Amino acid sequence: MEKKNSDKIDRRTFLKVMGAGTLTATAALTGCGDGRSRSTTSPGEGKMTYRENLHGQKVSLLGYGCMRWPTLPGNKNEYDQEMINTLVDTAIAHGVNYFDTSPNYCRGLSERITGIALSRHPRESYQIATKLSNFSPSTWSREGAMEMYHNSFKELQVDYIDYLLLHSIGGGGDAMKEFATRFLDNGMLDFLMEEREAGRIRNLGFSYHGDVRVFDYALANHDKYHWDFAQIQLNYLDWKHAKDINRRNTNAEYLYTELEKRHIPAVIMEPLLGGRLSKVNEHVAERLKQRAPDRSVASWAFRFAGSWPGVLTVLSGMTFMEHLEDNLKTYSPLQPLTEAERQFLFDTADLMMEYPTIPCNDCNYCMPCPYGLDIPGILTHYNKCINEGNIPTNPGTKAYREARRAFLVGYDRSVPRLRQAAHCVGCRQCEPLCPQNIAIASEMQKIDAFVERLKQE
């Protein structure tokens, strides 16, 4: 179990954190019209950029995703509450006020961990987003879903939830049927609307994955549900190429545009595509660094996501302090992309499509595998080798031998042999759980065949 530290943060400690790492930048976003999220920037240089939700409340453009909290060194089974507290303190000190969690993040502990860290601060200093993550059949009943909903208040130590999401609509094998089962047939959506009316939920929305029919259904019924926001996957690769890399997923351009038509603020997830847009092929990285030597590769993706006027906040799962500091620099304040820079990123996305990475976001929804495979670890190693140019080609050359060795040695170091792709039996139990709709069993077979071929050469 994680260490607990529910002590309120004292003023001296808070001011010390606040002063550690003042960030400077210039530029601000102008307003974007009535009925949408509007941009404001705090007075002075180096201040967080904010947008306004439909109720006029300011939301930091950088949102903290609480799915990948750090664990203790050498112990991946215990979360480092002290470090998490420090990350939260630093984020709040520099203007971040939106924190996104779920009952099923961090092996079911994210809400508790996040609640411990946030409860040390005044309630008005942060806004919490959590989800009705009733994926399991045991939570499809009204009783099961209600238990999950009420437990979120307990774990987060709050008496109201700022943003409540129907989690991952559009997922599953029969997505429309699953949406009805999880939220309509059991009366949960009607109940949540009543909770919003009572003030225990301040904003009601959904996160979308997969089948666009469910997304379209939700928007077609906007007059009935009055969505306050919607969470979508958006980045410069998914803008035009999501159909190509994610199969059933719809291009981000369509998702964003449909929300914009209805003046529904967009919360952005996966601005880095699970980290892949910060670990791009070396040729792509060089291209980005040549254009902006003083910016990180990741900052391009965050600027892209934040520059759209209908975006309320951009989520980032910042496990390490350096990630938080880099993102604070990007959004304090945001320098919106110029049209030339946006086209530069679209051209970069076209170039990246020449490197066939597998669209794994390391969300771990596919885990645990009943046969012990480390599915995210296998796919992450494969993608890493592609991005680093360590996919062996041209047999017989010195470069081939070096790449072959790097791939095989790295594979054994990254993934224990009993958890490698060779042990996949093709049961496909993982595939309905994958938000990216990856044909996981097929990819395991391809990677295993590739590994065996390398071993024999």
Side-chain angles (χ1 to χ4, degrees):
M1 188 60 66
E2 76 286 351
K3 294 183 293 185
K4 292 189 177 182
N5 180 4
S6 58
D7 295 339
K8 298 288 183 180
I9 185 169
D10 62 84
R11 176 176 173 81
R12 178 178 295 179
T13 301
F14 183 79
L15 290 175
K16 182 179 179 181
V17 172
M18 195 172 194
T22 302
L23 304 170
T24 58
T26 58
L29 284 178
T30 57
C32 60
D34 294 333
R36 296 186 293 178
S37 54
R38 297 187 295 275
S39 292
T40 60
T41 303
S42 295
E45 294 184 344
K47 300 297 183 179
M48 174 62 61
T49 296
Y50 292 89
R51 299 276 169 86
E52 290 184 2
N53 65 17
L54 293 179
H55 309 293
Q57 189 174 20
K58 288 185 178 181
V59 179
S60 57
L61 188 53
L62 175 60
Y64 213 122
C66 304
M67 188 171 76
R68 298 184 176 95
W69 283 128
T71 54
L72 290 172
N75 184 2
K76 292 187 177 182
N77 294 318
E78 186 172 356
Y79 289 93
D80 190 345
Q81 188 69 56
E82 184 176 348
M83 186 65 224
I84 293 165
N85 290 352
T86 300
L87 288 166
V88 167
D89 295 348
T90 304
I92 291 178
H94 289 91
V96 175
N97 67 0
Y98 189 100
F99 294 82
D100 172 87
T101 183
S102 160
N104 75 329
Y105 292 169
C106 298
R107 305 192 306 278
L109 294 173
S110 179
E111 285 185 323
R112 183 181 307 173
I113 295 165
T114 304
I116 290 171
L118 288 174
S119 65
R120 299 156 51 255
H121 293 270
R123 181 64 179 93
E124 65 274 13
S125 68
Y126 62 89
Q127 300 170 47
I128 191 72
T130 194
K131 307 171 182 71
L132 186 58
S133 306
N134 56 338
F135 301 130
S136 168
S138 65
T139 58
W140 289 350
S141 68
R142 184 179 178 88
E143 294 74 20
M146 290 282 280
E147 181 180 357
M148 175 176 286
Y149 171 71
H150 288 301
N151 192 59
S152 291
F153 287 84
K154 175 184 175 182
E155 299 283 34
L156 291 167
Q157 305 181 42
V158 296
D159 55 12
Y160 67 89
I161 292 172
D162 300 277
Y163 296 83
L164 195 285
L165 297 89
L166 311 184
H167 196 178
S168 192
I169 72 168
D174 188 337
M176 283 298 298
K177 181 179 179 180
E178 184 168 313
F179 177 76
T181 300
R182 291 174 59 197
F183 305 117
L184 303 182
D185 298 344
N186 58 11
M188 282 306 297
L189 182 50
D190 289 335
F191 168 76
L192 295 175
M193 292 170 64
E194 293 171 358
E195 289 289 276
R196 177 175 58 182
E197 188 69 23
R200 285 181 288 273
I201 296 172
R202 301 295 170 87
N203 298 271
L204 182 61
F206 61 85
S207 66
Y208 163 73
H209 294 275
D211 193 330
V212 73
R213 293 176 301 165
V214 185
F215 179 83
D216 289 341
Y217 173 86
L219 295 194
N221 287 275
H222 178 45
D223 289 343
K224 177 180 179 180
Y225 301 131
H226 300 288
W227 305 113
D228 296 295
F229 68 108
Q231 188 166 305
I232 59 172
Q233 181 168 309
L234 182 150
N235 51 70
Y236 63 83
L237 191 61
D238 276 337
W239 188 257
K240 294 285 189 183
H241 295 294
K243 283 185 177 180
D244 302 322
I245 62 176
N246 297 342
R247 286 175 289 280
R248 283 194 302 139
N249 272 4
T250 308
N251 287 342
E253 180 182 25
Y254 174 81
L255 302 176
Y256 173 81
T257 302
E258 289 301 303
L259 293 176
E260 185 78 343
K261 287 178 184 177
R262 296 164 177 82
H263 308 308
I264 301 174
V267 172
I268 303 307
M269 57 183 167
E270 301 297 349
L272 288 179
L273 259 180
R276 284 187 293 145
L277 296 184
S278 63
K279 303 171 185 175
V280 296
N281 184 283
E282 58 184 19
H283 299 298
V284 175
E286 183 179 354
R287 170 184 169 87
L288 295 173
K289 294 300 288 185
Q290 284 181 346
R291 184 72 178 242
D294 296 331
R295 292 187 181 275
S296 68
V297 170
S299 70
W300 281 100
F302 284 105
R303 288 181 65 211
F304 178 85
S307 292
W308 299 101
V311 168
L312 181 64
T313 189
V314 180
L315 301 177
S316 177
M318 296 168 282
T319 307
F320 304 109
M321 185 63 73
E322 53 264 36
H323 298 161
L324 173 59
E325 290 174 345
D326 188 51
N327 291 340
L328 287 171
K329 181 179 179 182
T330 298
Y331 284 135
S332 299
L334 170 73
Q335 282 189 327
L337 291 176
T338 65
E339 284 303 315
E341 287 176 321
R342 183 172 287 150
Q343 186 58 53
F344 169 74
L345 286 182
F346 288 147
D347 293 342
T348 301
D350 293 340
L351 179 64
M352 291 178 66
M353 289 304 293
E354 299 177 11
Y355 303 96
T357 56
I358 300 168
C360 174
N361 291 346
D362 195 24
C363 67
N364 282 273
Y365 285 7
C366 58
M367 298 295 284
C369 168
Y371 295 91
L373 271 72
D374 181 2
I375 298 169
I378 296 165
L379 298 180
T380 297
H381 174 70
Y382 182 79
N383 285 339
K384 179 176 181 288
C385 287
I386 287 179
N387 286 330
E388 293 179 352
N390 283 331
I391 294 297
T393 56
N394 301 322
T397 64
K398 179 181 178 182
Y400 177 86
R401 291 191 296 272
E402 291 176 349
R404 172 182 174 275
R405 183 179 185 280
F407 186 97
L408 293 176
V409 172
Y411 190 36
D412 285 342
R413 289 177 177 173
S414 302
V415 184
R417 291 199 176 188
L418 290 177
R419 305 192 69 189
Q420 293 180 359
H423 297 279
C424 177
V425 301
C427 70
R428 301 186 185 276
Q429 292 183 40
C430 53
E431 293 183 1
L433 304 174
C434 178
Q436 304 303 324
N437 304 299
I438 300 171
I440 295 173
S442 297
E443 298 295 352
M444 293 296 107
Q445 292 173 2
K446 291 177 184 176
I447 292 174
D448 180 46
F450 178 68
V451 170
E452 289 303 312
R453 187 169 69 249
L454 292 182
K455 289 180 177 178
Q456 294 171 9
E457 294 176 350

